[in-house]
Amino acid sequence: MPSDSGRGPARGRAVVIGGSLTGMLAAAALSSTTAQVTVVERYALPAGPAPRQGLPQARHAHLLWSGGARAVEQLLPGATERLLAAGARRIAVPTDLVTLTSGGWLTRFPERQFFLACSRDLLDWVVRDLATARPAVRVLPGSSVLRLRGTAAGITGVVIRGADGERVLDADLVVDASGRASATPRWLDALGLPGVRTRIVDSGLGYATRVFRAPPGTEDFPVVNIQADPRRPVPGRNGTLLPIEGGRWLVTLSGTRGGRPTADPDSFTAFARGLRHPVIGDLVAMAEPLGEVTLAHSTVNQRRLYERMPAWPEGLVVLGDALATYNPLYGHGMSVAAQHALVLRRATGRQPVTSPGLARRVQVAAARTTTAAWSMAAGQDLRFPGAQGEPPGPGDAVMSRYVDRLMLTATRRTAVGRALFDVISLSAPQSALMRPDVVAAALAPVRFTPLTDPPFTPQERAALRAVWPPPVPDGPAPDAPA
Ligand SMILES: Cc1cc2nc3c(=O)[nH]c(=O)nc-3n(C[C@H](O)[C@H](O)[C@H](O)COP(=O)(O)OP(=O)(O)OC[C@H]3O[C@@H](n4cnc5c(N)ncnc54)[C@H](O)[C@@H]3O)c2cc1C
C-alpha cells in the first residue's frame, strides 16, 4: 500500500486500545504510514452522533480549544467544517465570552483564539467517521483488550476478547488509548517492569450538568462562565453555559470538596444563583429543561510518568487520558489528546512503526506535550480547601501570585489577555506568560476600574429582554481595553 507521508510504502501493523477520541485520532495519525491499524473498542460505537456506553463524561460540557481543534484539523482535514455544518459553534475568544474570572469580568477583546462548542457525541462522531474512512483503519467494536503480548523488552501484540472468544492480534506498535482506567501499569507489572510513578492532585471537584432549550432569539448567545476565586478560603464553585447544536444550552455547574452540586433538579438553579454572580442561575430559570441533572466525579488530575521509567518496551505507547487527566474545568483533555496524536504522526512520518526506540521517543515527546495542561490544572487545584496532592513549594506560591496578577490585568489589558489565551488554548508554550512585554503589562500599577456586571452586548440584552420577563440589568457595554 502506498504511503502519503512521502516516505514510501506504508509498513507494519498497529493496534490501538480504545475507540474514543484519543484512539480515533491516533488511528488517523498512523493511517498514512502504517499498513494496518486496528482499533479495539470495548463497547458498541453508534453510527451517528449519539450517546454511547463507556463515555459517561460525554453528557457534560466539552469544549475543544483552538490548540486542539487545529491539531484535529491537521490529522483529519475537514473536521472543523463538518462540525460547524452540523451546528457546532465556533466561539471567538474572548469576544464571545461573558466570563467572570478570579480577576473580574473579562473585557470582550477582539478574537485572539477560539474554541469549538458542541456535544461530545457530535465531536466524537465526526472524528470517528473521518478516521474510520481511512483505508488502513479497521475497528473491532465490542472487543476488549485483556493483556499485552511480549516481554519487558518489547510488545508484540495484544490478546482480545470479542463475541467470538479470545484471540491474538499481532502488532509492531500498540497504542494504549484506553482512558483514565488504563491497565498499562498492571500489564507492565506483569512483564516484570518497575511500577510507574503517578502524580495525583485531587480537589474533590464534582460536576452537575443539565441541558436546556435555548430561548428563541438567543441563537448567537455567548458562552457564559463564572469561575471560582482560589484566593477565597471556601470551596471553589463554577458554572458554564455552553450553547451547543440543536438550539440547546448545556449548563455545567461544579464545586470542589465541600461545595459540590447535587443531582436534585430543584437545587440546580439555586446553586447557579449562588455562584460569584447569579447570571447563569437567572438565565436557566427562564429556560426549559430537556432532561435530568447528571453528575460526574472523575475529575482528578493524574499523571503517569512513563517517560521517567528506567526501561521501556519497544512497541508500546500510552496517550490521552491513559497518560494523564486534568481537572476538566480547564477543558484540556481532548486538546492534549489531539496533540499527542500529532506527536505520533510526526514520529511515524519519519520512521516506520517497526523502528527501534520509536515508542520511547514518542512517550517522551507526549510527556512534554502534557506538561502545560498539567501545571495549569494541578497548580491551581492545590489552592482549594481540602485538595489532596503534593503540597506546593515556595516557587509555586510565587507563581500563584503571578497568576492572580495575570488574571486581574487580563480583564482589561490586551497584552496580558492575548498571552493568557494563547497559553490556555494550548496554542503557545507557558513561557509566553514570561515574555518581557507580558510581565511589564501584568506588573504595571492597576488604574483601571473593574467591570461590575456581565458585559453583554446591547444586542444580547435585547435578545434576552424579548424572552425574559424580569428587566435585564443594564450592565456596562463592552468598552475599549485599557
Ligand atoms: C466531566 C468531564 C468533563 C470534561 N470536559 C472536557 C472539556 O471541556 N474539554 C476537553 O478537552 N476535555 C474534557 N474532558 C476530558 C475528556 O473527556 C477526555 O480527555 C477524553 O475523553 C480523552 O479521551 P480518551 O480517548 O483518552 O479516553 P476515553 O474517552 O475515556 O476513552 C477510552 C476508551 O477506551 C475504551 N477501553 C477502555 N479499556 C479498554 C480495553 N481494555 N479494551 C478496549 N477498549 C477499552 C473505553 O470503552 C473508551 O471508549 C472532560 C472530562 C470529564 C470527566
Side-chain angles (χ1 to χ4, degrees), residues 17-18 20-23 40-43 52 54-55 57 60-63 120 143-145 177-180 207 296 298 320-321 328 331-335:
I17 311 173
S20 185
L21 201 83
T22 308
V40 185
E41 167 54 46
R42 175 172 287 152
Y43 298 108
R52 72 171 183 91
L55 203 65
Q57 72 264 40
H60 301 274
H62 267 77
L63 56 90
R120 178 71 195 262
S143 305
S144 288
V145 171
S178 64
R180 62 179 62 223
Y207 258 48
S298 308
D321 276 21
H332 280 154
M334 300 189 301
S335 289

Side-chain angles (χ1 to χ4, degrees), residues 383-447:
R383 301 175 72 184
F384 288 103
Q388 294 163 358
E390 273 173 45
D396 296 321
V398 175
M399 194 57 201
S400 290
R401 279 208 293 280
Y402 183 57
V403 169
D404 291 339
R405 188 75 191 176
L406 288 169
M407 297 309 286
L408 171 68
T409 49
T411 60
R412 302 302 292 266
R413 291 186 180 144
T414 37
V416 182
R418 282 181 183 163
L420 200 61
F421 281 114
D422 286 354
V423 173
I424 290 175
S425 65
L426 302 183
S427 304
Q430 277 182 300
S431 56
L433 298 175
M434 295 299 176
R435 276 200 330 256
D437 61 314
V438 178
V439 174
L443 300 186
V446 167
R447 296 208 178 84

